[in-house]
Amino acid sequence: MKLDIVTIFPDYFAPLDVSLLGKARRTGLLDVRVHDLREWTHDRHRTVDDTPYGGGPGMVMKPEPWGEVLDTVAPPGSDPAPRLVVPTPSGRPFTQAMAAELAAEPWLVFACGRYEGIDSRVVDEARTRMRVDEVSLGDFVLAGGEVAVLVMVEAVGRLLPGVLGNADSVTDDSFAPGPMESLLEGPVYTKPPLWRDRPVPEVLLSGNHGAIARWRRDEALRRTARNRPDLLVRMDPGSLDEHDRRV
Ligand SMILES: COC(=O)COc1cccc(COC(=O)c2cn[nH]c2)c1
């Protein structure tokens, strides 16, 4: 997969050289390129922002540099065209399903907004020649898109075959399709069996895989009911059996 990231703070993406994603880059699974938007400015001060039309606080990112960098990074007529992903508080919610969808794309371009945002004509113009997704990571405001892009690159990158050591840990993710879909992960344990007078739940040491699976589902249901009741109401009632309802 090819990833292009456009930002005024390229150093934010140094972390992509470490850990899993660093290995994926070195093995060629991921081809990540970071572009400094200021290289597409032509004035002495390398200006990327200006005051908002209609007044109001803060600054808006000028359209010209964005138009030029997107023309360079994703020349009109590129085939396949890339998918442009723009993190923004006013976007569609980013979910595991969207991460999986993006992981199937051959080429993603991430645009990191700053200040009050990017001149809206940039996204409008980009839509004429590529798919554009304005994506929100949650109901909060960051100073810019860089951290949001790091989150999305990690969420997408770990789904790429070969990037993660153990493919199984992707299939039983929270929110991954299957019987535990849209349930939160339950508690996990490892050695020692007793730690500061706290034992590991007996069932997990029993070797009774049916009982272990049931216990894990019960714990996932309990945690979901406690922390994310909204997920439970969204679940298909058919996927909850009599036992589930009593948990
Ligand atoms: C068209 O898109 C834009 O103009 C994007 O502009 C901005 C401006 C400021 C900050 C950000 C980063 O995104 C978030 O803060 C964010 C995403 N999810 N939750 C919070 C982006």
Side-chain angles (χ1 to χ4, degrees):
M1 172 189 277
K2 199 158 92 163
L3 290 182
D4 285 288
I5 301 170
V6 182
T7 171
I8 59 171
F9 293 117
D11 295 353
Y12 250 97
F13 294 97
L16 287 182
D17 292 329
V18 300
S19 83
L20 285 176
L21 293 175
K23 175 167 164 276
R25 288 179 84 169
R26 285 188 296 281
T27 58
L29 271 172
L30 269 178
D31 172 11
V32 184
R33 298 176 193 166
V34 181
H35 309 275
D36 182 345
L37 180 66
R38 292 191 194 276
E39 288 174 20
W40 282 269
T41 60
H42 309 295
D43 63 306
R44 199 155 60 88
H45 299 291
R46 308 183 81 197
T47 309
V48 293
D49 62 327
D50 202 336
T51 52
Y53 274 126
M59 302 291 271
V60 172
M61 297 190 99
K62 295 166 57 64
E64 299 96 327
W66 277 105
E68 290 182 29
V69 69
L70 291 178
D71 285 349
T72 306
V73 165
S78 300
D79 182 21
R83 190 158 169 177
L84 177 63
V85 181
V86 190
T88 170
S90 54
R92 280 188 310 126
F94 184 63
T95 61
Q96 190 66 15
M98 189 187 290
E101 201 183 302
L102 295 178
E105 292 288 337
W107 182 12
L108 298 175
V109 177
F110 288 95
C112 299
R114 281 261 147 187
Y115 316 113
E116 300 309 308
I118 305 169
D119 183 299
S120 282
R121 290 169 291 182
V122 172
V123 162
D124 294 345
E125 193 269 346
R127 286 191 198 285
T128 65
R129 60 191 187 81
M130 65 186 95
R131 178 164 174 177
V132 180
D133 297 274
E134 294 180 271
V135 178
S136 166
L137 297 194
D139 296 336
F140 48 80
V141 182
L142 301 169
E146 287 77 11
V147 169
V149 168
L150 280 172
V151 167
M152 289 192 275
V153 167
E154 178 154 327
V156 171
R158 67 184 286 278
L159 296 178
L160 297 178
V163 171
L164 259 193
N166 169 8
D168 290 350
S169 59
V170 171
T171 47
D172 68 4
D173 267 348
S174 284
F175 314 112
M180 300 293 269
E181 182 164 3
S182 79
L183 286 182
L184 301 179
E185 294 283 330
V188 288
Y189 302 86
T190 185
K191 294 186 274 304
L194 187 66
W195 175 70
R196 295 189 183 183
D197 296 333
R198 294 172 184 273
V200 169
E202 273 301 314
V203 65
L204 297 180
L205 310 177
S206 70
N208 176 339
H209 298 292
I212 291 170
R214 167 53 67 195
W215 181 85
R216 283 180 165 155
R217 181 171 168 80
D218 291 354
E219 288 302 312
L221 281 165
R222 281 194 191 97
R223 181 173 283 182
T224 308
R226 186 171 65 241
N227 296 343
R228 289 293 305 277
D230 60 298
L231 290 178
L232 277 189
V233 298
R234 275 189 356 213
M235 274 183 77
D236 162 19
S239 65
L240 296 171
D241 63 27
E242 266 321 293
H243 174 93
D244 290 340
R245 295 177 193 289
R246 285 197 307 273
V247 164

